[in-house]
Amino acid sequence: QDDVRSIVGMVDAWRGGADIVYGVRRERTTDTFFKKNTAQAFYKLMNALGGDIVYNHADFRLMSRRTLQALMAYPERNLFLRGMVSALGYPSARVYYDRKERMAGESKYPFSKMLSFALDGITSFSVRPLRYISMLGLLFILISLVAIAYGIVVYVEGNTIPGWTSLLVSVWFIGGTILMALGIIGEYVGKIYKEVKRRPRYFVEQTTGMQEPHD
């Protein structure tokens, strides 16, 4: 389905100094309405969560030798290549092409696999969902404080049902406290997660002024 003629443009971009050349679809006219919109939602969600992936790019790309060697320096086993290649940081370019309709067979990515792929991508490149738990817990605590103030007002006015205020406040406050505690634990888990991956912190693109060591 990918246009092999666009490889010529990829090679030209590589000769022009790009170490990574992404093959990017101009549009998704060959996809169904459901697949088109779920794919767009996936790209937007990944970028919102901190995963710098190229929109409408799958796995059709050209990579130089040094980018492949850099990619091999990643020791992890859960390989989300679309995010990992972008994270290498080498000069890149894009070549746009039109993807043809499938001539035979069926897509190997039904909804279940697409969902699994999206979860792998999110969990491989972002700890923000753990951070959102803390934010949600803080929101619940703020709501409980508002509920406390509201409960005091209606209690003074004598418009309360016995036990209603204490139940409302306790549910919101305890729930928010639990979520905050989970979020704090999640922050530590996220740091452990990043350390376990042992990804290289940087790659040297080029060196200048190097001298040969003396005997």
Side-chain angles (χ1 to χ4, degrees):
Q1 289 182 274
D2 295 319
D3 188 2
V4 296
R5 292 174 297 181
S6 60
I7 295 177
V8 176
M10 290 182 174
V11 173
D12 290 338
W14 170 71
R15 287 175 175 170
D19 283 282
I20 304 172
V21 186
Y22 300 100
V24 181
R25 297 170 62 175
R26 287 194 180 92
E27 50 189 38
R28 307 184 71 96
T29 55
T30 58
D31 290 346
T32 62
F33 175 83
F34 176 77
K35 186 171 183 179
K36 177 181 178 179
N37 285 274
T38 53
Q40 290 177 346
F42 166 72
Y43 285 113
K44 292 178 180 178
L45 179 62
M46 280 297 302
N47 287 318
L49 292 176
D52 185 19
I53 62 175
V54 179
Y55 188 72
N56 275 346
H57 164 70
D59 294 309
F60 185 43
R61 69 180 73 91
L62 180 147
M63 299 177 64
S64 66
R65 180 182 296 276
R66 66 175 179 176
T67 57
L68 287 175
Q69 292 174 341
L71 184 61
M72 291 172 63
Y74 282 63
E76 58 202 81
R77 296 296 180 266
N78 295 320
L79 302 178
F80 182 66
L81 290 177
R82 298 186 195 184
M84 294 172 67
V85 172
S86 298
L88 295 176
Y90 284 101
S92 63
R94 302 180 185 185
V95 171
Y96 293 88
Y97 69 98
D98 295 316
R99 198 174 199 185
K100 301 176 182 179
E101 294 186 5
R102 184 181 294 274
M103 298 298 295
E106 297 179 353
S107 173
K108 300 299 188 296
Y109 268 88
F111 177 72
S112 59
K113 285 190 175 182
M114 288 175 60
L115 183 60
S116 177
F117 179 76
L119 290 175
D120 284 342
I122 293 171
T123 55
S124 294
F125 266 84
S126 178
V127 294
R128 287 189 184 180
L130 297 174
R131 206 156 287 164
Y132 291 156
I133 295 175
S134 299
M135 297 172 62
L136 187 62
L138 180 60
L139 176 63
F140 276 27
I141 291 176
L142 293 176
I143 292 175
S144 70
L145 295 177
V146 174
I148 290 172
Y150 173 75
I152 293 174
V153 171
V154 296
Y155 178 78
V156 172
E157 294 177 350
N159 297 324
T160 59
I161 300 173
W164 177 83
T165 304
S166 60
L167 179 63
L168 175 68
V169 171
S170 62
V171 168
W172 281 98
F173 185 77
I174 293 174
T177 304
I178 292 173
L179 285 175
M180 277 289 292
L182 289 175
I184 293 173
I185 295 172
E187 287 290 330
Y188 286 96
V189 172
K191 293 182 184 299
I192 295 171
Y193 177 71
K194 290 182 178 179
E195 290 293 333
V196 169
K197 281 182 174 293
R198 301 186 65 82
R199 289 176 177 173
R201 294 184 178 181
Y202 59 87
F203 295 103
V204 177
E205 182 178 352
Q206 63 181 3
T207 57
T208 58
M210 296 293 291
Q211 297 181 353
E212 293 293 333
H214 297 286
D215 294 336

